[in-house]
Amino acid sequence: MKIQFLDLKAPYIELKNELDEAYKRVMESGWYILGKECETFEKEFANYCGTRYCIGVGNGLDALHIILRAYDIGEGDEVIVPANTYIATWLAVSYAGAKPIPIEPDEKTYNINPTLIEQAITERTKAIIAVHLYGQPADMDLINYIAKKHNLQVIEDAAQAHGAKYKGRRTGSLGDAAGFSFYPGKNLGAIGDGGAITTNDPVLAEKVQILRNYGSKIKYYNEVKGFNSRLDELQAALLRVKLSKLDEWNERRSIVANRYLENLRNCNGIVLPYVPKWAEPSWHLFAVLYSEREELQSYLFKNGIDTLIHYPIPPHLSEAYADRGDKIGDFPITEHIAKSVLSLPMGPHLNQGQQLEIIGRLNVYTNKKFC
Ligand SMILES: *Cc1c(COP(=O)(O)O)cnc(C)c1O
């Protein structure tokens, strides 16, 4: 029995009729960019997140980049980012011409540690990007409080957190603006690339709408040097179908997560995800820490179980950011996570039998080794 990390075909099988219908509707419409489907999806997703506006864009990285541009953040500015994140968070800041200022994570949640933010703020700081890593919401009240005090924008990187809740409110509505990704493997995934920006701010909403489409509101009248980053009609139509299933699929992820939490408690050396009282995670990933991660990964692999590492090299140590001159040891908590993190199979279509096989293997491996 082979257990995939994530079955990307299963959602299609489950929703085949509706997805095929949406595909056909777009194909036969003769209209493929910025039309009814995108507009309707934007309304539906804004409604889902509890925001006034949603603007579809080309991908998650563009979503973050365009938000920063719309806030006029660029050359000479600093943006506070988590040290422990996917590199896209940093790249958005770099694209805008600003400097990412990394902050170590909280040791339990792996998300940005709000108590370390204030000491990193300078007169150049313009914004804080909070990432809801693995679908665990960041501690937004504290982040918003600090931001307000220093007059900074708060941007959520919600690329892994569609539908996750913080104190009962959905991600995407917790800061000044949020960027989402609809990369196929995300909780709400397109059949290709896609992304969106959510916000309650009408001025920002209009700016990003102009920026995503060559800087023009009226065709061929270009107010600013914009970008080409649009959510196409086909992706929007398919996303509308999948959005109708998002809560149910997230609920299934949560059942999987709780089964792991319950049944891996006695595995020696495995550090399980910590969920604060106020968090309802979207469980994009189920990431554990284990000091001999490579050995564990190859044991599982030999037994037909695929796992992944999110992420093996933190942005500050990646070659792309070699120009920063960071050294090993500069962000020890982030580096410790990168060295020991392992993502177990997780998704709405992972069945109980498969999961019990994974749980069994993990118990045998970790207990044989240490007992
Ligand atoms: C996926 C992801 C992104 C980027 O999204 P793309 O659609 O691939 O550009 C940004 N941030 C985080 C945390 C992500 O997981």
Side-chain angles (χ1 to χ4, degrees), residues 216-230:
S216 81
K217 190 157 57 174
I218 303 160
K219 210 169 187 181
Y220 307 129
Y221 286 81
N222 300 82
E223 304 169 33
V224 289
K225 297 186 193 80
F227 308 97
N228 173 5
S229 184
R230 302 169 297 214

Side-chain angles (χ1 to χ4, degrees), residues 232-251:
D232 65 70
E233 289 290 282
L234 194 51
Q235 299 307 335
L238 300 170
L239 284 167
R240 288 180 59 202
V241 175
K242 287 185 153 188
L243 178 59
S244 69
K245 277 275 171 177
L246 180 56
D247 280 343
E248 186 191 321
W249 284 351
N250 276 349
E251 182 54 37

Side-chain angles (χ1 to χ4, degrees), residues 18 73 80 90 114 116 187 206 218 260 265 270 305 313:
E18 293 95 321
I73 293 169
I80 287 174
W90 289 40
L116 301 176
N187 290 41
E206 175 155 341
I218 303 160
Y260 275 140
R265 268 180 316 170
I270 287 193
I305 299 161
I313 302 168

Side-chain angles (χ1 to χ4, degrees), residues 58-62 64 85-86 88-89 131 133 157 159-160 180-183 186 193-195 284 311:
N59 56 67
L61 172 56
D62 283 359
L64 296 171
T85 182
Y86 179 54
T89 317
V131 181
L133 199 66
D157 179 342
Q160 304 189 352
F180 284 90
S181 163
F182 305 126
Y183 182 76
K186 301 290 161 88
D193 277 311
H284 174 58
Y311 299 91

Side-chain angles (χ1 to χ4, degrees), residues 105-175:
D106 176 88
E107 287 183 60
K108 277 159 85 183
T109 67
Y110 314 149
N111 274 324
I112 193 165
N113 184 341
T115 66
L116 301 176
I117 291 177
E118 211 153 17
Q119 67 203 50
I121 294 172
T122 72
E123 69 282 0
R124 291 165 184 260
T125 312
K126 291 285 162 9
I128 302 167
I129 305 184
V131 181
H132 308 302
L133 199 66
Y134 309 149
Q136 310 276 349
D139 193 354
M140 295 306 293
D141 279 354
L142 257 170
I143 294 166
N144 283 322
Y145 171 80
I146 296 159
K148 198 159 186 186
K149 194 165 144 195
H150 296 271
N151 201 22
L152 309 176
Q153 307 295 340
V154 174
I155 301 163
E156 294 173 77
D157 179 342
Q160 304 189 352
H162 320 70
K165 284 182 184 164
Y166 172 77
K167 300 184 181 174
R169 287 175 297 137
R170 286 206 203 274
T171 62
S173 71
L174 305 171

